[in-house]
Amino acid sequence: MQVCNEKVRRQDRICEDPALLKVLLDEAPMMHVAMNDEDFPHVVPLSYGYEFVGEKLKFYFHGAAVGRKVALWKKNPNVAFSIAEPGPVNFAENPVCHTGQDFLSILGQGVMRELPLEERHHAVEMIMRRYAHDNEKTWEFPQAMLAAMGIYEMEVVTMSAKRRFTPR
């Protein structure tokens, strides 16, 4: 997993442990994806699947074939994403400016594309495998369903990962 951390301000919080990042990718309930919408970004929470193709990380999503996010992706496919898992809040004796929360997060940018029909089965299977916690299972999906859905791939261009962990 290639992580680009040179822009991270708190270098002491960089997380480059592939096993830990894989746990986050496998266990986070959803990710947030932000897209450009003129004056303000538009952010949506999405269920996802993922896989590594060589060194490239690809995320897969499904949903409506039309709507605001789809229109924005078609207008500008460059997006940003966030996956985070909160940990416990750590209160200090003097809590002002000394209290914090543990976390693990991945932030990044990618390029979104709508998948052609011949690539959709694989994408939906990656989503199902993640939520079923079974990387070997296969499913059959009706071709009409795959054709009617919006099924998308985000190829990650850059990402960084941070963690805050307070020993107990």
Side-chain angles (χ1 to χ4, degrees):
M1 179 179 319
Q2 194 166 22
V3 181
C4 175
N5 286 312
E6 70 267 0
K7 294 181 181 178
V8 174
R9 182 182 62 84
R10 291 288 306 263
Q11 293 285 307
D12 60 315
R13 292 192 178 162
I14 288 173
C15 179
E16 293 178 320
D17 179 347
L20 196 55
L21 296 175
K22 184 172 180 344
V23 168
L24 177 59
L25 290 170
D26 288 344
E27 300 298 326
M30 65 181 53
M31 71 172 11
H32 289 85
V33 176
M35 55 223 78
N36 295 304
D37 188 14
E38 303 299 327
D39 293 333
F40 297 96
H42 179 64
V43 180
V44 293
L46 295 170
S47 300
Y48 66 93
Y50 77 94
E51 70 177 333
F52 287 93
V53 179
E55 286 290 310
K56 287 284 186 185
L57 174 57
K58 295 184 177 193
F59 288 106
Y60 301 103
F61 313 96
H62 69 86
V66 296
R68 184 176 180 187
K69 71 178 179 286
V70 174
L72 292 172
W73 288 339
K74 288 180 179 179
K75 185 176 174 183
N76 181 349
N78 298 325
V79 299
F81 69 92
S82 169
I83 305 170
E85 190 65 34
V89 175
N90 305 296
F91 285 95
E93 275 189 46
N94 176 5
V96 178
C97 298
H98 297 285
T99 296
Q101 184 169 20
D102 290 349
F103 66 90
L104 174 61
S105 67
I106 299 173
L107 305 176
Q109 295 82 37
V111 178
M112 195 71 73
R113 75 179 178 106
E114 186 171 7
L115 292 176
L117 186 58
E118 63 271 11
E119 296 179 40
R120 291 176 172 216
H121 183 276
H122 175 75
V124 176
E125 198 159 80
M126 292 295 101
I127 297 167
M128 294 296 295
R129 285 180 177 177
R130 189 175 95 80
Y131 286 99
H133 302 285
D134 186 344
N135 286 329
E136 303 302 319
K137 187 163 175 63
T138 60
W139 286 269
E140 292 300 319
F141 305 108
Q143 199 70 4
M145 179 199 77
L146 293 174
M149 292 172 58
I151 303 175
Y152 308 92
E153 173 194 273
M154 179 203 333
E155 185 170 314
V156 174
V157 175
T158 184
M159 68 180 191
S160 62
K162 286 175 47 174
R163 76 183 281 206
R164 176 186 172 157
F165 175 72
T166 306
R168 308 249 181 262

